[in-house]
Amino acid sequence: MLKKRIIFVIYYANGSFFLSRNFKLQKIGSVEYLFDKFGFADILQGLDELVVLNVEKNREDFSLELYNSFINKLLEKAFVPITLGGGLNSEADVNHKFSLGCDKVLFNTALFENIQLVENTILRFGSQAVVANLDVLTVNNEYCVFSNNGIKLVGTLDHACNIIRNLSFGELFLNSIDRDGTGFGPDINLIDKISILKPLILSGGYGKPDHFNILNLKNVDAAATGNIFNFIKGGLNMTRTYCKSINIRR
Amino acid sequence: MIYIVDTGASNRVAVERWLNFNDISTCELSDNIKPNDIALIPGVGSWDEVIKNLITNGQWDILLKHKNSGGKFIGICLGFQLLMGESSEGVLPGLGLFNYELIKFSENHVKVPHVGFNEIVNNTTKELNECYFTHSYFLPVNKIDDLNTSFGITNYGCDFISMIETKNCLASQFHPEKSSFGGDFFIEKIKKLIKC
């Protein structure tokens, strides 16, 4: 039987990892800090997947050298599936990500502004290697999708789904900007709004083990959190134990 | 020695890192490969695209020669699939170590692709393992007529072959290198294949 997944998301910018709250970033520290202070080596062994998103707001500030060094150190002993994303806008960007040893790449803005790149990536690396990411924010009581790090309005969630519906990407990474980093729990109402039949990763809002009971819903295949405080000091084990206690496998 | 194929679209780096971490040495595939060496085809990529890449970079020929001289193989994910004869994902013929055909999961029955950790049960020993899968095409159980080979069976809407183990070949539809502790049993099998 296929197991539900628990995924950790690392927000990366300028050589450091960050916490995100409603898409406002707070710098935490270097990759060494992640391992030394948060015991990330242990967390890595208990995760089902790792996603690293480059959230550098100012693309000119991006240093390839710092990024490569961060990723290489992070992945040195990471024997779990790796997805890399954030700012992918050319075939060279995609090739570079795979050359670092990832299994999948994640597209957000390119879904709406560079669809050819998404299609070519699917053609070359296969559907299973492409994750489509929608960042959703409530505007006037309506779910709307934003691209470009959450600042550019694409349209309603329905509209965005219709744009990407015919792309044969492998998974949908649905993220709530409203819930992001709040710890208020994932947005359960978002799930029914999705009419795309792909493995669904629901992200945003997890703050305690029982928030992961959302995995009991048939339509949710994975839960993703970028909140390291969910997983430190045995938090990941507590979450897993909780999930088992309510019959979520794994 | 394990010779790793460069498919132009794989997670080769991750496979290398995993093998080296487990004290297994690797190098890039070349003409130097001997039948007692292992050719490892890593995963990620799409059928026709990867075969075309391998034909262009000369590695497809090396693989065919290696097969014809009875050489050892390891295939992971798409690498597992390329050891078969054909796939509905593309039109080009595979390496044909096994003369089976891969088909696509039906979107009427399950979400495609099949992503996540799932169980692998050995057809004879009933040994149970759990590893990470991500794929849209699969090898149906009912295609198999050879009852002497050791198979791993996984269920996703239907039973399919997720692992094949013969005297000179070890092939997995799942990613042992991405399965944390779940992949350790595969390392033991690789070590055995190196020695035999």
Side-chain angles (χ1 to χ4, degrees), chain A residues 3 103-104 123 221 250, chain B residues 11 46 111 117 130 132 180:
Chain A
K3 311 298 194 309
D103 310 273
K104 314 180 213 183
L123 188 70
D221 299 278
R250 279 183 85 85
Chain B
N11 68 346
S46 69
K111 285 185 183 179
F117 284 76
E130 196 177 285
Y132 180 81
S180 203

Side-chain angles (χ1 to χ4, degrees), chain B residues 7-195:
Chain B
T7 65
S10 73
N11 68 346
R12 180 170 57 94
V13 184
V15 175
E16 264 168 16
R17 210 182 269 143
W18 176 64
L19 291 172
N20 298 162
F21 179 78
N22 285 290
D23 300 321
I24 297 170
S25 45
T26 55
C27 65
E28 205 168 303
L29 181 67
S30 71
D31 274 335
N32 296 333
I33 192 166
K34 306 277 182 300
N36 202 38
D37 292 321
I38 298 171
L40 185 153
I41 316 174
V44 191
S46 69
W47 180 272
D48 276 351
E49 202 63 20
V50 162
I51 294 174
K52 271 189 248 165
N53 287 347
L54 291 175
I55 290 172
T56 310
N57 72 14
Q59 297 197 345
W60 192 252
D61 255 355
I62 301 176
L63 290 173
L64 285 172
K65 270 183 212 147
H66 192 59
K67 172 195 141 188
N68 292 335
S69 59
K72 297 183 200 172
F73 279 91
I74 294 174
I76 296 174
C77 196
L78 182 70
F80 162 97
Q81 301 188 352
L82 290 174
L83 298 175
M84 309 301 148
E86 53 189 308
S87 168
S88 58
E89 189 182 11
V91 294
L92 297 171
L95 285 167
L97 247 79
F98 306 96
N99 222 0
Y100 303 132
E101 187 195 347
L102 300 144
I103 58 172
K104 194 174 183 180
F105 286 113
S106 161
E107 273 167 310
N108 297 330
H109 297 109
V110 286
K111 285 185 183 179
V112 183
H114 169 221
V115 191
F117 284 76
N118 206 338
E119 289 160 356
I120 304 125
V121 184
N122 187 281
N123 64 331
T124 49
T125 63
K126 302 295 168 202
E127 181 190 344
L128 175 73
N129 287 289
E130 196 177 285
C131 282
Y132 180 81
F133 289 81
T134 174
H135 61 120
S136 306
Y137 295 81
F138 70 102
L139 179 56
V141 155
N142 59 18
K143 297 265 175 179
I144 303 298
D145 41 21
D146 175 2
L147 298 173
N148 297 319
T149 303
S150 173
F151 291 114
I153 313 280
T154 297
N155 187 282
Y156 187 59
C158 61
D159 280 349
F160 69 92
I161 306 286
S162 51
M163 186 170 140
I164 300 181
E165 202 180 353
T166 64
K167 196 166 88 309
N168 64 340
C169 176
L170 192 54
S172 67
Q173 179 59 69
F174 51 86
H175 285 275
E177 83 283 11
K178 294 286 163 183
S179 304
S180 203
F181 297 122
D184 289 352
F185 83 102
F186 207 78
I187 285 287
E188 295 313 311
K189 288 187 187 296
I190 290 175
K191 287 182 173 165
K192 226 190 272 172
L193 184 65
I194 293 171
K195 281 191 199 126

Side-chain angles (χ1 to χ4, degrees), chain A residues 58-76:
Chain A
N58 193 345
R59 296 289 170 206
E60 285 116 55
D61 287 349
F62 179 71
S63 154
L64 197 61
E65 208 176 313
L66 276 181
Y67 180 80
N68 288 350
S69 156
F70 184 97
I71 298 292
N72 282 328
K73 279 181 207 154
L74 181 69
L75 301 191
E76 202 181 349

Side-chain angles (χ1 to χ4, degrees), chain A residues 138-156:
Chain A
T138 314
V139 181
N140 298 331
N141 286 324
E142 188 159 29
Y143 285 127
C144 290
V145 170
F146 287 76
S147 65
N148 294 272
N149 271 334
I151 55 169
K152 188 171 171 186
L153 176 68
V154 172
T156 63

Side-chain angles (χ1 to χ4, degrees), chain A residues 3 12 74 100 146 219 227 231:
Chain A
K3 311 298 194 309
Y12 168 91
L74 181 69
L100 290 170
F146 287 76
N219 230 348
N227 185 353
F231 290 163

Side-chain angles (χ1 to χ4, degrees), chain A residues 222-242:
Chain A
T225 174
N227 185 353
I228 186 86
F229 297 106
N230 280 327
F231 290 163
I232 57 171
K233 293 182 179 155
L236 180 56
N237 278 339
M238 269 160 57
T239 300
R240 289 221 174 278
T241 307
Y242 171 77

